[in-house]
Amino acid sequence: MNVLEFVDQVLYGLMGPLGRTVFGSIQDAIAIGILLKLPGLIGEIIIGKDFSSFDICLKESPWGVSRYACFIIVASDFLLWIVLAGRIIGRFWADLKDLKNNP
């Protein structure tokens, strides 16, 4: 049995079916967290600049490619956070409805 199966069994033992939901949400958060770092890393490798917020984008030249790349990278990070939040909320909502229907 690997570590992930052990953690899954411990969470299931402590929290029941909700433990599996928590475990799946943690796995999603880790995977999407890694995906969040990729656009910034690619921008840093190709362009050589670190883009972490819209404030940094506004400091770039309005006619340069770096400004538009910055907006795309920051917007993609923001959208990935929305996806992560939506998945977690959706999972918990479905699990709570399941608990309500099957006491």
Side-chain angles (χ1 to χ4, degrees):
M1 189 158 73
N2 65 22
V3 175
L4 295 177
E5 292 173 357
F6 175 73
V7 171
D8 181 45
Q9 292 298 319
V10 168
L11 286 175
Y12 187 76
L14 292 173
M15 299 170 55
L18 189 61
R20 291 232 164 102
T21 302
V22 169
F23 185 63
S25 297
I26 291 170
Q27 286 179 324
D28 281 350
I30 291 169
I32 293 180
I34 292 170
L35 286 175
L36 279 171
K37 295 297 177 189
L38 286 178
L41 181 64
I42 291 170
E44 192 169 331
I45 291 171
I46 294 174
I47 301 172
K49 297 180 180 177
D50 181 32
F51 301 126
S52 57
S53 71
F54 287 117
D55 296 339
I56 295 172
C57 299
L58 295 175
K59 293 178 184 175
E60 295 293 323
S61 169
W63 303 109
V65 175
S66 297
R67 184 175 191 154
Y68 301 108
C70 179
F71 280 119
I72 290 170
I73 290 169
V74 174
S76 69
D77 287 348
F78 179 69
L79 291 175
L80 283 171
W81 276 110
I82 290 173
V83 168
L84 176 64
R87 287 180 62 98
I88 291 171
I89 291 169
R91 240 186 215 163
F92 279 109
W93 184 260
D95 202 41
L96 288 174
K97 284 175 63 176
D98 216 20
L99 288 174
K100 181 182 171 186
N101 292 338
N102 301 323

